Amino acid sequence: FYLADVIISKGGSYLCTENTSLRQTFSLLRMLYPFMLAKRYKKKIVIFSQSLGPVEGKVNEWLFEKALSNIDCVFLRESLCLNKYKIVENLCKNVSCKVIPDSAFFLKSEKSEKNLLDIDISKYNIGYTIVDHDFKYIDDEIEKSKKRENYMQSIRESIKYFIDNFDAIIHIFPQVSVDISHTGHN
């Protein structure tokens, strides 16, 4: 770590908290640790193609701000986090911040110069990352079933809306596509 010139953080949407519980605070602290370590060694830090926020609670906000102070650049993968979360807006006032597409959708195959995803730019394109969600933290099977159905119904309704109202082309991406993934992420 100390030999690197630049630390680039590329993940999904993990620099956030859902509530003010101790569990969420510890999770956030664990995710922020590499930023604090990079800061300790005076390394350049770039957050690349990620979502940031929400961050709930004063302690979590303080941790977020402290760990991410002095980062060099933030590339957000959507403007929603910048527009919706004050803590992200404040962060981006102090550092170079740009909104870019999620890099996963623009990767090229190693065997070809062609994009892995053909996008008809004359049409409205929507990309969905879908998880085989099992709501593993909910013990009540009836509640789990309701959550699963609500998740699937939300996806179906939004796809129908975009097709009916915008003649959209829908691209569906799995969250994870490996046989050894545990239930809920494959």
Side-chain angles (χ1 to χ4, degrees), residues 20 55-65 87:
T20 59
V55 178
E56 302 292 332
K58 295 294 181 200
V59 170
N60 294 335
E61 287 176 359
W62 181 83
L63 287 169
F64 183 91
E65 289 172 343
I87 195 159

Side-chain angles (χ1 to χ4, degrees), residues 59-89:
V59 170
N60 294 335
E61 287 176 359
W62 181 83
L63 287 169
F64 183 91
E65 289 172 343
K66 187 77 171 161
L68 298 182
S69 66
N70 300 325
I71 63 173
D72 295 276
C73 191
V74 176
F75 293 95
L76 296 170
R77 66 181 184 181
E78 71 270 314
S79 58
L80 172 86
C81 26
L82 184 59
N83 299 332
K84 189 172 180 179
Y85 307 124
K86 189 73 173 165
I87 195 159
V88 178
E89 180 185 340

